[in-house]
Amino acid sequence: MRFGILAAGAVVWSLIAGAQMANAQQVFQNTITGETLDVDGTAPKEGRDTPAVKKFLETGVDAYVEVPGCLPKGEEVFLESCSGCHGHIGEGKVGPGLNDSYWTYPKNETDKGLFETIFGGANGMMGPHGQDIELDDMMKLIAWIRHIQKDDVKDAQWLTDEQKKNFKAFNIDEWEKTGRAAAAKQQCKISGN
């Protein structure tokens, strides 16, 4: 009887632990200090309850990367919050370039790492944006930064193999002529929303 109770208790415990792990949130760390970022306590309340944000908080992967309908908003956030230091198309100014294969912080090769740098800030003038950019808009911003890539993406950790096959290096003239208008006609939608 005792063994049956212990076995039942072990099963219940493993189910609880499994459920908690399935709903576990990634641990996000400051790019410079390594301190844990308080995403829940810092981020604006709006823009948290989307399928893309939920997926990102669980997996560290931005579901909006290469979703055309998300790019216009990502570009808007970039122009408002990032272009002053990183250039109109991420070519670099006071801050480093964001549209090539070199990352000042190698962790930015992953969506999670880029999020941590944007959210918590970094060295120099790169202040934290965690309190002033909604999480869903930050996902769109990261998607835009990934989209403006001009170098070969064979090593791009943020793209799936299928996305790598279909990726075209960013061309500002094409974007301004037809790309932005075509993307604006599409929805910013992933499965689940």
Side-chain angles (χ1 to χ4, degrees):
M1 171 121 173
R2 224 181 246 180
F3 178 74
I5 293 172
L6 287 174
V11 168
V12 169
W13 176 254
S14 66
L15 288 173
I16 291 170
Q20 288 175 337
M21 287 177 67
N23 293 325
Q25 179 173 309
Q26 294 281 309
V27 175
F28 298 100
Q29 298 176 306
N30 182 283
T31 297
I32 302 305
T33 67
E35 294 175 38
T36 300
L37 296 171
D38 181 13
V39 173
D40 199 43
T42 304
K45 299 296 179 209
E46 302 77 26
R48 293 176 176 222
D49 197 30
T50 67
V53 170
K54 289 176 184 177
K55 178 181 179 179
F56 179 76
L57 293 175
E58 290 176 13
T59 66
V61 175
D62 185 350
Y64 289 150
V65 170
E66 289 307 294
V67 176
C70 300
L71 297 174
K73 181 62 179 181
E75 178 187 30
E76 178 185 317
V77 175
F78 183 85
L79 292 173
E80 290 172 359
S81 302
C82 311
S83 65
C85 292
H86 296 286
H88 181 72
I89 53 172
E91 71 276 14
K93 287 168 97 177
V94 176
L98 302 176
N99 65 352
D100 56 25
S101 298
Y102 175 78
W103 293 97
T104 302
Y105 305 105
K107 72 187 287 182
N108 291 352
E109 292 178 4
T110 68
D111 294 338
K112 179 182 179 195
L114 185 55
F115 172 86
E116 290 169 329
T117 299
I118 296 167
F119 192 92
N123 281 327
M125 295 174 54
M126 180 62 198
H129 290 280
Q131 71 279 354
D132 52 70
I133 300 176
E134 293 178 15
L135 292 178
D136 196 62
D137 286 347
M138 198 169 299
M139 298 297 96
K140 294 169 185 157
L141 168 62
I142 291 170
W144 175 253
I145 292 170
R146 300 312 194 192
H147 183 72
I148 60 176
Q149 177 74 299
K150 64 178 179 61
D151 289 349
D152 189 349
V153 294
K154 70 177 173 43
D155 296 324
Q157 295 181 34
W158 61 86
L159 294 173
T160 66
D161 288 339
E162 187 65 27
Q163 288 171 325
K164 286 178 187 179
K165 281 190 241 174
N166 297 320
F167 191 87
K168 288 177 53 183
F170 184 72
N171 180 308
I172 188 66
D173 294 330
E174 286 178 22
W175 175 252
E176 290 179 345
K177 190 184 303 179
T178 58
R180 184 183 297 117
K185 292 177 184 176
Q186 297 186 40
Q187 292 183 338
C188 180
K189 188 174 185 174
I190 62 168
S191 64
N193 71 341

